[in-house]
Amino acid sequence: MNPQTSATLAASAWLTALLLPIPAVVRTSQMTYNRIAYIYHCFCDHLAVVQASCSDTTLQTLMGFCIAMVVSFLPLLLVLLSYAHIPASVLRISSREGRAKAFSTCSSHLLVVGTYYSSIAIAYVAYRVDLSLDFHVMGNVIYAILTPILNPLIYTLRNRDVKAAITKITSQDLSCDRSI
């Protein structure tokens, strides 16, 4: 990995995120809506806007689903393929401590990836099922808010200093509880 590869990957991610939704946004803006359209959501999600339309939403729903598949599940496939190669590489590490550390790193990353993709699945697949609006809103809240909050917490808990501080605080709390 060199700076040029890093810059190319970052630029590709930004350009894809910028350009891929343009056709869906243009088509959604051309749909017919009532004079007052209510969007029952906590933020302006594409599919929620499409569902508020008076027009036929079949094409827009399919387009949104296809974009979600490209943006979400193609990277998931790449992550899973890369993780399929990791156990073989880790098992080649000679020291037991080295293998444990490598698997620990992988497990925290898998926890983050699992949280992220399960919330996406809830948010996007739930639209295909006749569920209450509250369920749809909660799926998107988990995807948009909870997952980004959990990422730093999960990675921070891997830090030895943080673990030591938490252990110290909890052991002090336990010693205080015994004296009561």
Side-chain angles (χ1 to χ4, degrees), residues 145-160:
I145 297 171
L146 186 61
T147 303
I149 289 172
L150 288 178
N151 285 349
L153 290 175
I154 291 169
Y155 286 121
T156 300
L157 290 176
R158 294 195 66 250
N159 184 307
R160 280 187 222 149

Side-chain angles (χ1 to χ4, degrees), residues 55-67:
S55 305
D56 179 23
T57 61
T58 307
L59 182 62
Q60 277 302 102
T61 303
L62 179 63
M63 187 184 298
F65 182 74
C66 290
I67 290 172

Side-chain angles (χ1 to χ4, degrees), residues 3-180:
Q4 183 179 3
T5 304
S6 296
T8 303
L9 289 172
S12 299
W14 279 91
L15 282 172
T16 301
L18 180 67
L19 299 177
L20 193 61
I22 288 176
V25 170
V26 170
R27 296 259 322 161
T28 302
S29 68
Q30 295 170 347
M31 296 177 82
T32 305
Y33 296 91
N34 286 333
R35 191 163 170 253
I36 297 175
Y38 292 100
I39 298 174
Y40 299 101
H41 232 292
C42 55
F43 61 90
C44 196
D45 184 41
H46 171 258
L47 202 47
V49 174
V50 169
Q51 289 175 337
S53 171
C54 301
S55 305
D56 179 23
T57 61
T58 307
L59 182 62
Q60 277 302 102
T61 303
L62 179 63
M63 187 184 298
F65 182 74
C66 290
I67 290 172
M69 291 299 110
V70 169
V71 170
S72 301
F73 292 106
L74 184 61
L76 174 62
L77 180 64
L78 294 173
V79 167
L80 293 176
L81 285 173
S82 68
Y83 266 86
H85 294 284
I86 289 175
S89 299
V90 170
L91 292 174
R92 281 190 238 127
I93 297 173
S94 59
S95 73
R96 175 178 259 172
E97 294 83 20
R99 285 192 302 270
K101 186 174 181 179
F103 278 124
S104 172
T105 301
C106 293
S107 64
S108 62
H109 184 254
L110 279 175
L111 182 61
V112 169
V113 168
T115 305
Y116 177 73
Y117 282 105
S118 62
S119 65
I120 287 176
I122 290 169
Y124 287 104
V125 175
Y127 280 108
R128 303 304 244 170
V129 183
D130 189 24
L131 298 171
S132 72
L133 280 168
D134 292 340
F135 190 82
H136 296 289
V137 171
M138 283 308 299
N140 279 310
V141 166
I142 290 169
Y143 164 68
I145 297 171
L146 186 61
T147 303
I149 289 172
L150 288 178
N151 285 349
L153 290 175
I154 291 169
Y155 286 121
T156 300
L157 290 176
R158 294 195 66 250
N159 184 307
R160 280 187 222 149
D161 296 335
V162 173
K163 285 180 187 176
I166 290 172
T167 303
K168 183 178 176 183
I169 290 170
T170 55
S171 66
Q172 285 176 352
D173 287 342
L174 291 175
S175 65
C176 291
D177 288 343
R178 289 187 200 133
S179 64
I180 296 177

